[in-house]
Amino acid sequence: MLEAIQLSKKYGDRNALIDLNLTVAPGEIYCLLGQNGAGKTTTINLFLGLIQPTSGQALIDGQEVKRGALTNQMIAYIPEIVQLYGNMDGIENLDFFSRLAGFRHTKEKLRSLLLKTGLAETAHTQRLSSYSKGMRQKVGIAIALSKNAKIIFMDEPTSGLDPKASDEFTHICQELSKEGKSILMATHDIFNAVNVGSTIGIMKEGKLIHRTSTEGISADELQRLYLKTI
């Protein structure tokens, strides 16, 4: 579903990303680990078409990403802080952003999508200004589900979540994986990457240094590899 071929990005004399090669298959959860400035967010922004590469290609479903060329219905993006309307409730936010993507769902369908993410029914009609970060993320995931997006990009999705919310997030991602959704996630959270990811890529100074499967690797082993790399 996703492929980067010799993907590079420069800002003046600074290399933000250098000859990145990676693939993300349907149902794969690919977690990018690295310090700030390692190139994780740059990678996601290139796939989203928010910035243009200096060289190389970013492909989604075999099509090269160009600004404004990809259908908004194919992809979804969940940033570290999900931007929603605080004066609207969960149902209203989900309905609004679904309509922006060209989908009109019944209220029953909207409720079922929110319930699928684990958002308690009592919260559906509460204003977003009263939501925790974990609750906001669930609405963000529901928006992705409402679009039936094939690919979901996530930037530091577990930052600031308590252990319960982080565990709920892991289960949601695993369910999305079972449905064949591809997920590319930028994260600092080694423990979450091991638990939720199927593939780990460790980045440093714009380069992908290591790629490993999470099968058979512990959080301690990944941490040692990560610390050795950075």
Side-chain angles (χ1 to χ4, degrees):
M1 291 302 297
L2 294 179
E3 185 176 11
I5 304 172
Q6 297 293 111
L7 191 61
S8 299
K9 179 65 180 177
K10 290 186 72 172
Y11 293 100
D13 293 331
R14 184 176 72 86
N15 290 305
L17 195 65
I18 305 170
D19 295 333
L20 175 68
N21 292 291
L22 67 76
T23 58
V24 184
E28 185 175 4
I29 302 176
Y30 197 123
C31 296
L32 291 173
L33 286 172
Q35 295 180 302
N36 290 335
K40 306 185 304 296
T41 298
T42 297
T43 300
I44 288 176
N45 286 340
L46 285 165
F47 274 115
L48 290 173
L50 299 176
I51 56 176
Q52 297 301 299
T54 304
S55 60
Q57 292 178 298
L59 305 175
I60 293 181
D61 202 18
Q63 293 183 299
E64 186 172 4
V65 175
K66 295 184 182 295
R67 189 182 295 270
L70 277 172
T71 171
N72 190 39
Q73 296 177 1
M74 182 178 287
I75 62 176
Y77 173 51
I78 302 173
E80 181 176 356
I81 300 175
V82 179
Q83 299 294 333
L84 300 167
Y85 289 99
N87 62 332
M88 294 164 58
D89 63 30
I91 289 283
E92 290 167 338
N93 268 279
L94 179 54
D95 183 45
F96 175 77
F97 286 102
S98 298
R99 286 171 183 264
L100 280 183
F103 293 91
R104 292 176 177 268
H105 297 297
T106 64
K107 184 164 286 189
E108 289 73 22
K109 177 64 174 179
L110 295 171
R111 288 187 183 280
S112 70
L113 290 169
L114 290 173
L115 287 171
K116 187 173 182 178
T117 69
L119 186 68
E121 190 169 1
T122 53
H124 294 184
T125 54
Q126 293 177 5
R127 289 191 176 187
L128 265 289
S129 56
S130 69
Y131 277 31
S132 66
K133 181 180 178 183
M135 294 167 71
R136 284 174 171 267
Q137 281 188 328
K138 289 175 181 178
V139 177
I141 293 171
I143 293 170
L145 294 176
S146 74
K147 298 165 61 175
N148 196 27
K150 296 180 180 179
I151 302 138
I152 304 173
F153 298 94
M154 302 180 178
D155 199 352
E156 302 294 348
T158 58
S159 174
L161 294 186
D162 61 43
K164 182 176 184 297
S166 184
D167 184 62
E168 290 174 341
F169 171 81
T170 295
H171 287 297
I172 292 169
C173 288
Q174 289 169 344
E175 288 301 313
L176 293 173
S177 173
K178 290 176 184 177
E179 294 173 8
K181 312 293 186 184
S182 300
I183 297 175
L184 181 62
M185 179 190 306
T187 182
H188 286 96
D189 191 337
I190 292 173
F191 181 79
N192 177 70
V194 168
N195 280 301
V196 72
S198 48
T199 306
I200 305 289
I202 303 178
M203 302 189 72
K204 179 181 180 181
E205 297 176 352
K207 294 182 179 180
L208 182 63
I209 306 298
H210 288 291
R211 177 188 177 279
T212 183
S213 168
T214 57
E215 187 175 350
I217 191 170
S218 67
D220 286 341
E221 290 169 332
L222 180 59
Q223 183 174 29
R224 286 194 292 271
L225 178 61
Y226 176 72
L227 293 174
K228 181 180 178 181
T229 301
I230 64 170

